[in-house]
Amino acid sequence: MLIYAAISGHGYGHGSRSGAILLALAQRQPGWRLVLSTSLPAVFLRTVFGVVPFELRPCSWDVGVVQADALGADPAATHLALNDLERRLPDQIAEEARWLKAQGGPVLLLGDVPPALARLAQAGGWPLIWVGNFGWDAIYEPMGGPFLAWAERCRALYRTGQGLIHCPFSMPMDWGLPEIRVGLTVAPPRERAEVLRQQLELPERGRCVLVSFGGLGFELGEEPFRRWPELVFVSTDPSAAGAVNVRLLPKGLRLLEFMPLVERLITKPGYSSFCEALAHDVGIHLVHREGFAEAPVLEEALRRHGRHRLLSQEQLRCGDWQLDQPLLAAAVGPLALDGAEKAAGWLEQQALAYC
């Protein structure tokens, strides 16, 4: 069995989510081939998958929303990029269809969540399962103007799939497909927490804070960290490296490895960051984000399911991070922790049924 996973290059969160599910699938079916078709960097994918083998097909399947930085969107650049992708897709679809047919065995397509994958499914007659907490139809529709036509195009393609792994923190995905709803999709840590604590000379968990803004990052400099001399920060921001209370995330390690070592996380709205933090009972200091329709949905989900505080972008920049304030309790309660395993089991069933 060949699982061909087309993963959005819009952000690392798509790769982390699909990676968690495929790692759980590899536990169930270690002989199945995992093929990743994505524009995400190979070094990031190797960090996610560790020793589990995969094959990489470097392809760009979607645009998502072009971002000026981790907290801002660029609609004009997004529209240009969508038109450019549309011109390039026919050749890519033809090439990937030829390659898949040459493999000579059963194939299941998994999409997180590039709608163009439906065109590849149609080209080869392969079954297609979507995985996500939103589709690009729900992102483009509120952007209005020329994006309304793109939203309708995406929705029509999503509706041609055979099923949906419906993840938490979701926007409407009314695609008329059989689906399974799952909890937090998180891979298990691979590193020993105590070893990492000693390597980075970290104090007890209550004095450690993780700061990350995804693949694009967000430069804060050293000064905001110096406002909190009693705390130690693990950060992905090289501009903060000179602060004595900052430890840069070591290369080749996932943020996930540090969740058991920290009490709080400062971040933007992001699906996989939320999953990993909530699975380890890490409080989230969430920075408000404009121009991306998923952001308020994630913010509301955090209020319902996780300990939290909410920050403005100005508070972020000046270091007013409220780390001396108690975390606000979740309004509803925690989500199930077995999302990746549940998704992998259902994906296995679909693959065996369709192929």
Side-chain angles (χ1 to χ4, degrees):
M1 181 71 67
L2 188 156
I3 306 296
Y4 183 97
I7 303 171
S8 175
H10 169 76
Y12 286 0
H14 296 272
S16 295
R17 170 172 59 206
S18 287
I21 294 170
L22 292 173
L23 286 170
L25 181 64
Q27 289 288 316
R28 304 174 71 96
Q29 293 287 351
W32 287 10
R33 288 174 66 186
L34 303 181
V35 177
L36 310 183
S37 183
T38 182
S39 59
L40 290 170
V43 65
F44 164 74
L45 296 171
R46 286 194 293 270
T47 299
V48 170
F49 280 81
V51 299
V52 173
F54 66 88
E55 301 165 52
L56 178 60
R57 302 286 295 174
C59 293
S60 179
W61 286 102
D62 64 4
V63 168
V65 176
V66 177
Q67 297 175 237
D69 56 38
L71 296 172
D74 189 334
T78 300
H79 189 243
L80 289 173
L82 281 168
N83 286 318
D84 179 62
L85 176 67
E86 191 63 23
R87 287 189 292 269
R88 292 185 284 108
L89 274 173
D91 289 344
Q92 177 175 293
I93 290 169
E95 173 60 27
E96 293 307 287
R98 282 193 295 270
W99 184 84
L100 280 169
K101 289 174 182 177
Q103 304 313 299
V107 173
L108 178 76
L109 306 186
L110 179 69
D112 186 352
V113 270
L117 187 62
R119 292 159 63 178
L120 177 61
Q122 292 162 359
W126 296 297
L128 167 59
I129 302 295
W130 302 108
V131 55
N133 65 315
F134 67 82
W136 292 117
D137 54 334
I139 301 299
Y140 292 147
E141 197 163 57
M143 296 171 72
F147 293 100
L148 293 175
W150 286 104
E152 283 303 317
R153 189 177 306 178
C154 292
R155 190 172 295 118
L157 289 169
Y158 287 135
R159 286 173 174 163
T160 66
Q162 277 64 56
L164 168 65
I165 298 171
H166 194 137
C167 297
F169 321 131
S170 63
M171 302 177 72
M173 293 185 286
D174 301 323
W175 305 335
L177 303 178
E179 67 173 49
I180 183 171
R181 289 181 176 257
V182 301
L184 301 175
T185 51
V186 184
R190 288 194 292 264
E191 306 293 330
R192 292 173 56 193
E194 192 54 38
V195 172
L196 292 178
R197 186 193 305 280
Q198 293 174 9
Q199 287 177 350
L200 271 68
E201 298 180 345
L202 299 176
E204 66 275 10
R205 186 183 191 192
R207 291 180 52 214
C208 290
V209 180
L210 187 58
V211 182
S212 176
F213 290 90
L216 285 176
F218 195 84
E219 289 195 357
L220 291 167
E222 301 171 10
E223 197 55 38
F225 294 91
R226 292 191 176 119
R227 290 190 57 175
W228 304 93
E230 71 281 9
L231 299 176
V232 173
F233 298 89
V234 178
S235 176
T236 56
D237 179 7
S239 73
V244 296
N245 60 339
V246 170
R247 313 284 191 268
L248 290 184
L249 184 80
K251 290 184 178 180
L253 290 182
R254 302 171 295 175
L255 288 174
L256 172 62
E257 310 297 346
F258 289 87
M259 293 298 176
L261 296 172
V262 302
E263 179 69 19
R264 304 183 188 217
L265 165 68
I266 300 174
T267 192
K268 65 180 177 65
Y271 173 88
S272 287
S273 297
F274 276 27
C275 281
E276 292 168 4
L278 297 183
H280 291 88
D281 195 29
V282 174
I284 298 177
H285 289 237
L286 185 67
V287 180
H288 186 70
R289 182 183 183 187
E290 296 284 355
F292 195 66
E294 184 196 19
V297 175
L298 286 168
E299 190 171 304
E300 177 58 28
L302 177 61
R303 287 192 180 99
R304 291 171 58 84
H305 300 296
R307 299 183 301 142
H308 64 278
R309 295 197 73 87
L310 304 179
L311 304 176
S312 68
Q313 293 188 28
E314 180 55 33
Q315 285 177 301
L316 172 68
R317 290 186 177 93
C318 73
D320 180 15
W321 295 345
Q322 301 183 6
L323 295 169
D324 55 352
Q325 299 299 310
L327 290 159
L328 303 175
V332 176
L335 292 163
L337 301 178
D338 63 348
E341 292 76 15
K342 190 174 180 181
W346 193 74
L347 186 60
E348 179 188 37
Q349 291 175 8
Q350 300 307 302
L352 295 173
Y354 281 109
C355 301

